[in-house]
């Protein structure tokens, strides 16, 4: 049998009120009470209409009978109500709203589950595996842009490839214990190991001792051993990714006790990749603390006699060596070497802390904890958009998803992400317009554990996260699992227009993208190439469209771009930013700076506006002058790139969602012209044959599908072509035209010129756009070469 409820307890239906009732009864209240409370809740029914300042009122209880027997009971009731009110208001989970003078309680939004950087709070200390020794010194570097281009090292062929000596003939001057082989991650704590931090470097014998003092036990550092094989010659061994025996490419370490007028040589002896940008002129990065403090000079490219070669080791797994020489700028200086510009987890948190302290950002940027990593580090999620005026406008917004640092050693992805956030959070007109049109979901650092410990590719699970987006192991891959779940939730509510995962590349120069090949309807074919092509037009000295690939390889099925593409995001990309530099335009044969990488974040925003421009007439207007590099990246705080387009679009506030202004015939036409410029020694017939073979056209099926829709008439120019080169139709092309004429419409302009058109895509005039779009044809459309079409395709 159920025990009889205590007097008054049966009237407290709310669990919290029931708890408070028992708590107060323990301290002597309600004892000996014979009659239960008449109200059905501690909160009286007429409370919301009568009071806006308190949750409990004295007149909500039963009136006193003005007798001595009930007076003590009434006093206890009053004291009870006041204590409940005080306890309720002090409770951290309950929030009291007062809209329109009506007070009512509700639960607060959950907080404190993960540490978020908030105004006045300290940064979350990184969590390290307990096997790692960590120094207490905090490492920070200034941001600096070299005033001049930093050219590639010019290989002479006479670079020395020193023979590896090893510690048998050398002296170990620095050594830290790696994670034991065969172990796996168990737990983490702030500061890593619980024991005292020992000194892994040798002790100097006196002021005349020129031995360098190495250190790498800080965020993203990964030097394991240094062997002195000569007076100023050192062999370095990098620590592999934790709980693996491979993935050594990224390096970041510190040296002290330098001498100014001495030539030092450093040789890294256990790199894994057979090809590297160091074979193409890339230089390591050097940072001098004295230069930073006195001259404001930060990271710069230094090094000579650079050579990347295979080691003559007897091990089964082939390893490769990188050697270079360098002069340090000062005596007794503290310097750092790095593979690319470092960007640590603490750097990200400092940036997010500065962002949350800005009251303006909080209006359109919300910072949340997506999840916690294996080591307990927070994976942050930013939601960026302007407040919508009504639910319909909010529902009509499309989403854009960006992420970075799934591979922790690819720091260039963080600098591109930094440039994107700098711009999208600014008060530039284009940024305001983007926030009105889209909802941005941004995961700035997907693999904080790997970033903290200095891994190049893996997480603390010892696995490549960018091969496990299909995983169901939530506990083993929490960052990837929660990111995919977040994107699924977004897809249930709205369309995701673009997904882009930012990476770095160690074997190719320039910036490029990997996408997926959409083999759906004819209207969708080659559609995935539009955004990369337009980005190459907006950043012609950095982005290479010819380096882009659009394949769905079986070995890459677990990557983010393919998994998101299969989830229904056609424009799903991996953006690769080189560790080296550019071979294009004005920046040819020079290294990228951190500012160059940040500018790519702006170009993503600029291309997104071009890709989804509500002003459809922009394609048909006369060619406009190309926009200059925005003043936003000159630390002006504003962007001057928004011209008449932005002002005109800003006035059209009634546009609920962006409309894509790019159409398949236009994109195919431009892509074919772009592809032709990269095929050396091929004539237009070869290009067309390659085009038809690549698409594997079935003439019979296609002719049935397109029968009666299009007819072709003579295409000619009424004035000379500005490129001064024309090509007459050969018999081969005429025969091809009879069979495949509907499919040759996009590539016909290739027959007019053999020289690639280098005009931006936004300046192309689509000769068949109005007809293929089903819109009325315009009078005298202008051809790509400045001519006009005497006859145009007819719609039947």
């Amino acid at each position: 049998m159920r025990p009889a409820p205590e007097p008054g307890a049966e009237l407290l239906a709310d669990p919290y009120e029931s708890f408070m009732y028992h708590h107060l009864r323990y301290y002597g209240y309600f004892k000996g009470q014979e009659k239960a409370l008449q109200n059905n809740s501690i909160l009286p029914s007429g409370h919301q209409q009568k009071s806006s300042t308190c949750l409990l009122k004295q007149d909500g209880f039963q009136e006193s009978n003005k007798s001595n027997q009930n007076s003590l009971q009434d006093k206890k009731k009053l004291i009870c109500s006041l204590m409940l009110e005080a306890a309720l208001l002090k409770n951290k989970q309950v929030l009291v709203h007062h809209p329109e003078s009506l007070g009512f309680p509700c639960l607060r939004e959950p907080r404190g589950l993960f540490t978020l950087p908030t105004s006045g709070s300290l940064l979350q200390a990184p969590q390290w595996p307990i096997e790692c020794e960590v120094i207490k010194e905090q490492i920070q570097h200034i941001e600096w842009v070299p005033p001049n281009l930093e050219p590639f090292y010019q290989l002479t062929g006479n670079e020395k490839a020193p023979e590896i000596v090893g510690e048998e003939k050398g002296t170990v001057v620095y050594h830290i214990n790696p994670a034991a082989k065969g172990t796996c991650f168990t737990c983490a704590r702030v500061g890593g190991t619980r024991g005292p931090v020992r000194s892994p470097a040798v002790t100097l014998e006196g002021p005349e001792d020129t031995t360098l003092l190495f250190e790498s036990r800080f965020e993203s550092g990964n030097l394991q051993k240094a062997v002195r094989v000569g007076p100023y010659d050192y062999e370095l061994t990098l620590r592999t990714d934790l709980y693996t025996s491979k993935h050594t490419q990224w390096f970041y370490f510190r040296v002290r006790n330098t001498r100014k007028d001495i030539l030092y040589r450093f040789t890294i002896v256990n790199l894994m990749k057979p090809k590297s940008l160091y074979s193409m002129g890339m230089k390591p990065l050097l940072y001098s603390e004295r230069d930073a403090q006195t001259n404001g000079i930060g990271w710069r490219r230094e090094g000579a006699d650079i050579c990347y070669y295979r080691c003559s080791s007897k091990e089964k797994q082939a390893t490769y060596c990188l050697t270079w020489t360098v002069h340090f700028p000062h005596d007794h200086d503290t310097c750092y070497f790095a593979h690319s510009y470092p960007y640590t987890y603490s750097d990200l948190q400092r940036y997010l802390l500065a962002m949350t302290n800005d009251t303006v950002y909080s209006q359109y940027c919300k910072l949340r904890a997506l999840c916690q990593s294996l080591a307990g580090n927070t994976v942050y999620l930013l939601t960026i958009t302007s407040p919508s005026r009504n639910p319909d406008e909010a529902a009509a917004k499309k989403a854009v998803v960006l992420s970075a640092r799934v591979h922790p050693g690819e720091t260039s992805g963080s600098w591109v992400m930094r440039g994107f956030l700098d711009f999208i959070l600014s008060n530039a007109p284009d940024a305001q317009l983007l926030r009105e049109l889209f909802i941005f979901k941004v995961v700035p650092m997907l693999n904080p554990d790997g970033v903290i410990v200095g891994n190049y590719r893996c997480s603390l699970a010892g696995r490549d996260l960018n091969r496990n987006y299909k995983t169901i192991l939530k506990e083993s891959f929490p960052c990837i699992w929660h990111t995919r779940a977040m994107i699924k939730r977004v897809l249930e509510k709205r369309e995701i227009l673009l997904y882009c995962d930012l990476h770095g590349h160690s074997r190719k120069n320039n910036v490029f993208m990997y996408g997926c090949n959409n083999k759906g309807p004819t209207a969708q074919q080659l559609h995935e190439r539009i955004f990369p092509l337009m980005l190459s037009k907006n950043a012609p000295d950095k982005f290479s469209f010819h380096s882009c690939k659009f394949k769905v390889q079986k070995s890459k099925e677990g990557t983010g771009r393919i998994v998101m593409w299969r989830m229904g995001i056609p424009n799903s990309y991996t953006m690769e930013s080189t560790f080296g530099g550019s071979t294009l335009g004005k920046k040819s044969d020079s290294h990228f700076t951190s500012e160059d990488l940040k500018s790519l974040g702006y170009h993503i925003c600029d291309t997104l506006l071009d890709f989804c421009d509500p002003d459809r007439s922009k394609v048909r207007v006369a060619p406009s002058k190309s926009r200059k590099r925005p003043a936003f990246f000159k630390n002006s705080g504003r962007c001057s790139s928004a011209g008449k387009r932005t002002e005109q679009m800003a006035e059209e506030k009634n546009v609920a969602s962006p409309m894509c202004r790019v159409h398949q015939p236009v994109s195919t036409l431009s892509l074919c012209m772009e592809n032709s410029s990269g095929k050396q020694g091929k004539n237009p017939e070869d290009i067309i044959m390659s085009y038809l073979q690549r698409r594997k056209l079935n003439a019979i099926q296609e002719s049935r599908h397109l029968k009666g829709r299009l007819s072709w008439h003579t295409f000619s120019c009424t004035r000379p072509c500005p490129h001064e080169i024309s090509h007459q139709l050969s018999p081969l092309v005429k025969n091809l035209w009879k069979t495949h004429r509907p499919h040759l419409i996009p590539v016909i302009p290739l027959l007019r010129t053999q020289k690639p058109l280098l005009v931006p895509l936004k300046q192309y005039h689509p000769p068949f756009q109005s007809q293929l779009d089903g819109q009325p044809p315009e009078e005298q459309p202008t051809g790509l070469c400045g001519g006009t079409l005497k006859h145009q395709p007819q719609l039947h």
Side-chain angles (χ1 to χ4, degrees):
M1 295 179 60
R2 296 180 58 186
E6 298 179 2
E10 69 276 12
L11 302 180
L12 302 176
D14 184 80
Y16 178 80
E17 295 175 359
S18 177
F19 166 77
M20 290 303 301
Y21 173 84
H22 290 287
H23 178 73
L24 292 173
R25 192 171 183 276
Y26 175 83
Y27 286 98
Y29 295 94
F30 300 109
K31 287 186 177 180
Q33 183 176 343
E34 297 179 355
K35 295 183 179 180
L37 298 176
Q38 294 183 358
N39 290 1
N40 198 28
S41 174
I42 290 294
L43 287 176
S45 59
H47 165 71
Q48 293 185 359
Q49 291 78 13
K50 296 181 181 180
S51 174
S52 63
T53 59
C54 67
L55 297 176
L56 302 171
K57 291 190 63 177
Q58 178 181 356
D59 56 5
F61 294 93
Q62 185 180 8
E63 295 183 357
S64 175
N65 294 330
K66 298 181 182 181
S67 62
N68 295 333
Q69 296 179 355
N70 296 332
S71 59
L72 181 60
Q73 182 179 350
D74 293 336
K75 290 180 180 179
K76 287 185 176 182
K77 292 179 181 179
L78 177 59
I79 295 175
C80 172
S81 66
L82 294 177
M83 292 186 67
L84 282 174
E85 175 185 356
L88 188 61
L89 292 176
K90 290 181 179 179
N91 189 279
K92 295 181 179 180
Q93 295 298 322
V94 179
L95 180 68
V96 180
H97 291 290
H98 300 280
E100 300 179 359
S101 300
L102 297 178
F104 59 92
C106 66
L107 290 179
R108 291 180 184 271
E109 182 178 353
R111 63 180 182 178
L113 300 178
F114 309 110
T115 304
L116 292 176
T118 57
S119 177
S121 66
L122 298 177
L123 298 176
Q124 177 186 3
Q127 302 271 351
W128 292 74
I130 58 173
E131 301 94 61
C132 298
E133 290 185 347
V134 186
I135 61 175
K136 295 182 179 180
E137 184 179 354
Q138 298 294 323
I139 308 299
Q140 281 187 261
H141 304 297
I142 65 171
E143 294 184 25
W144 175 73
V145 181
N148 302 315
L149 295 178
E150 297 180 302
F152 291 153
Y153 172 72
Q154 299 299 320
L155 300 174
T156 62
N158 298 322
E159 288 78 15
K160 297 180 180 179
E163 183 180 355
I164 304 304
V165 175
E167 55 185 285
E168 291 81 7
K169 299 181 181 180
T171 303
V172 178
V173 296
Y174 178 82
H175 181 69
I176 61 174
N177 295 323
K181 293 183 179 180
T183 62
C184 60
F185 171 74
T186 54
C187 60
R189 65 185 297 270
V190 175
T193 182
R194 293 183 174 88
V197 178
R198 64 184 182 87
S199 177
V202 296
T203 303
L204 297 179
E205 297 179 355
E208 301 301 325
D209 191 347
T210 59
T211 303
L212 291 179
L213 302 178
F214 292 82
E215 184 59 85
S216 66
R217 296 173 299 170
F218 47 80
E219 274 194 79
S220 298
N222 69 336
L223 179 65
Q224 179 181 333
K225 183 169 61 175
V227 179
R228 189 180 186 185
V229 296
Y232 308 106
D233 197 350
Y234 295 86
E235 292 179 358
L236 311 177
T237 302
L238 304 180
R239 179 186 53 74
T240 60
D241 285 8
L242 285 185
Y243 316 116
T244 74
S245 60
K246 50 186 178 179
H247 304 303
T248 51
Q249 193 69 30
W250 157 263
F251 61 86
Y252 179 32
F253 58 90
R254 183 181 74 187
V255 293
R256 284 178 172 170
N257 196 35
T258 62
R259 298 297 187 269
K260 179 178 180 182
D261 298 325
I262 293 176
L263 182 65
Y264 290 86
R265 175 178 292 278
F266 298 95
T267 304
I268 300 177
V269 300
N270 65 331
L271 298 175
M272 298 292 184
K273 292 189 177 182
K275 295 182 180 179
S276 173
L277 288 170
Y278 291 108
S279 300
M280 296 163 25
M282 176 177 160
K283 297 180 180 180
L285 281 164
L286 171 68
Y287 183 94
S288 167
E289 283 193 354
R290 185 171 296 183
D291 275 346
Q293 294 170 0
T294 59
N295 303 321
I297 298 176
W299 289 101
R300 59 182 184 263
R301 300 283 179 175
E302 293 287 349
D305 295 326
I306 301 173
C307 184
Y308 192 89
Y309 59 100
R310 179 169 178 170
C311 300
S312 57
S313 62
K314 300 180 181 179
E315 299 179 1
K316 295 181 180 180
Q317 185 177 9
T319 57
Y320 299 83
C321 297
L322 167 66
T323 183
W324 75 96
T325 60
V326 67
H327 285 92
F328 290 110
H330 303 285
D331 289 332
H332 302 285
D333 193 8
T334 298
C335 296
Y336 297 81
F337 285 102
H339 179 60
S340 62
Y341 297 97
Y343 196 93
T344 65
Y345 183 64
S346 294
D347 290 334
L348 173 65
Q349 290 200 110
R350 280 188 285 267
Y351 182 84
L352 297 178
L353 179 61
M355 181 193 69
T356 54
N357 287 338
D358 193 310
T359 57
V360 177
Y361 290 164
S362 62
Q363 299 177 10
Y364 45 80
C365 180
K366 300 299 181 183
L367 178 64
R368 294 290 183 268
L370 178 66
C371 65
Q372 281 188 318
S373 64
L374 283 178
N377 296 295
T378 302
V379 180
Y380 297 103
L381 171 65
L382 287 83
T383 302
I384 304 171
T385 190
S386 294
S388 302
R389 292 167 293 188
N390 52 69
D392 293 337
E393 182 178 345
K397 286 185 177 181
K398 296 183 180 181
V400 175
V401 179
L402 274 81
S403 60
R405 296 301 286 278
V406 67
H407 293 153
E410 298 174 359
T411 60
S412 52
S414 278
W415 289 103
V416 177
M417 177 65 75
R418 168 76 177 274
F420 170 81
L421 292 176
D422 283 347
F423 181 77
I424 201 65
L425 294 174
S426 70
N427 58 354
D430 277 3
Q432 297 175 12
L433 181 60
L434 283 169
R435 294 194 297 265
E436 292 178 1
L437 296 177
F438 300 102
I439 295 177
F440 294 90
K441 294 287 186 178
V442 180
V443 185
M445 192 169 285
L446 271 169
N447 190 353
D449 293 348
V451 173
I452 290 171
V453 302
N455 281 2
Y456 174 64
R457 196 168 184 87
C458 298
S459 69
L460 293 184
R463 302 282 293 278
D464 184 349
L465 294 183
N466 200 36
R467 297 295 184 271
N468 289 277
Y469 272 88
K470 299 170 65 175
T471 184
I472 60 173
L473 303 177
K474 179 180 178 181
E475 291 76 15
S476 299
F477 308 100
C479 310
I480 297 303
W481 192 93
H482 283 278
T483 299
R484 186 186 63 189
M486 178 269 294
I487 294 176
K488 284 184 177 180
R489 292 193 299 268
V490 175
L491 280 172
E492 292 174 356
K493 297 180 180 180
R494 64 188 76 249
E495 174 188 351
I496 296 181
L497 184 70
L498 176 71
Y499 166 83
C500 188
D501 191 20
L502 305 178
H503 286 246
H505 208 280
S506 63
R507 291 175 293 175
K508 294 169 64 175
N509 280 309
N510 305 312
V511 183
F512 48 93
M513 281 183 166
Y514 294 145
C516 303
N517 186 14
N518 295 315
K519 297 181 180 180
T522 305
Q524 294 297 324
Q525 292 182 3
L526 301 180
H527 182 79
E528 71 281 353
R529 309 189 183 205
I530 302 173
F531 188 87
L533 176 61
M534 300 178 76
L535 185 55
S536 70
K537 302 302 179 181
N538 287 331
D541 58 346
K542 302 181 185 70
F543 193 94
S544 172
F545 180 77
H546 301 300
S547 298
C548 298
K549 295 181 181 179
F550 305 91
K551 297 180 180 179
V552 181
Q553 298 169 300
K554 191 172 183 180
S555 60
K556 303 294 182 64
E557 287 284 344
T559 60
R561 65 176 174 92
I562 294 181
V563 171
M564 302 310 164
W565 174 67
R566 296 196 186 280
M567 287 171 54
I569 308 176
N571 300 305
S572 180
Y573 305 103
T574 296
M575 182 171 175
E576 300 279 357
S577 302
T578 181
F579 293 134
S582 173
T583 61
L584 307 170
K586 297 180 180 179
K587 294 190 67 65
S588 178
D589 298 328
S590 64
H591 293 87
F592 280 155
T593 65
S594 60
E595 196 73 9
D596 291 325
L597 296 172
K598 288 164 64 176
S599 70
L600 287 166
Y602 157 74
H603 289 305
I604 292 176
C605 298
D606 189 32
T607 306
L608 188 59
L609 276 180
D610 291 341
F611 184 68
C612 290
D613 197 331
D615 185 7
R616 295 173 65 101
S617 63
K618 180 183 176 183
V619 181
R620 301 184 179 91
V621 298
S624 59
K625 296 182 179 180
S626 59
R627 284 171 286 178
K628 299 180 180 179
R629 188 168 183 258
F632 173 80
F633 285 97
K634 298 178 181 179
N635 299 324
S636 63
R638 295 184 63 88
C639 176
S640 61
S641 67
K644 295 181 180 180
R645 177 199 67 184
T646 304
E647 297 176 359
Q648 181 178 3
M649 293 170 65
E651 294 175 358
E652 299 178 0
K653 296 293 184 179
N654 56 345
V655 178
S657 62
M659 294 177 59
C660 183
R661 68 173 181 86
V662 182
H663 305 278
Q664 183 61 24
V666 182
S667 61
T668 307
L669 169 66
S670 305
L671 289 167
C672 290
M673 288 189 297
E674 186 72 18
N675 287 338
S676 67
S677 64
K679 300 187 178 187
Q680 302 295 334
K682 287 192 176 184
N683 54 37
E685 290 88 348
D686 295 332
I687 297 172
I688 293 175
M689 290 295 294
S690 176
Y691 175 77
L692 294 175
Q693 184 178 6
R694 182 173 70 253
R695 293 190 60 182
K696 298 179 180 179
L697 298 174
N698 188 320
I700 299 177
Q701 295 180 359
E702 294 290 340
S703 61
R704 291 176 181 175
H705 177 67
L706 297 173
K707 183 178 180 180
R709 293 182 60 188
L710 296 172
S711 62
W712 175 256
H713 299 279
T714 305
F715 177 91
S716 64
C717 289
T718 58
R719 50 182 176 174
C721 175
H723 299 285
E724 300 178 356
I725 299 179
S726 61
H727 188 82
Q728 301 297 327
L729 296 177
S730 65
L732 171 61
V733 176
K734 291 181 180 179
N735 293 333
L736 288 172
W737 179 250
K738 292 180 181 179
T739 307
H740 301 288
R741 63 182 184 181
H743 311 291
L744 289 179
I745 291 177
V747 295
I748 280 299
L750 295 177
L751 307 179
R752 307 296 306 167
T753 176
Q754 292 177 337
K755 185 176 180 180
L757 300 179
L758 300 180
V759 237
L761 179 65
K762 60 186 72 176
Q763 298 183 18
Y764 294 158
H765 182 87
F768 313 109
Q769 175 180 319
S770 58
Q771 288 76 21
L772 295 180
D773 284 348
Q775 299 179 1
E778 300 178 357
E779 296 182 0
Q780 296 182 350
T782 304
L784 285 171
C785 298
T788 58
L789 296 175
K790 287 185 177 181
H791 302 282
Q792 305 158 13
Q794 303 292 328
L795 284 175
H796 297 282

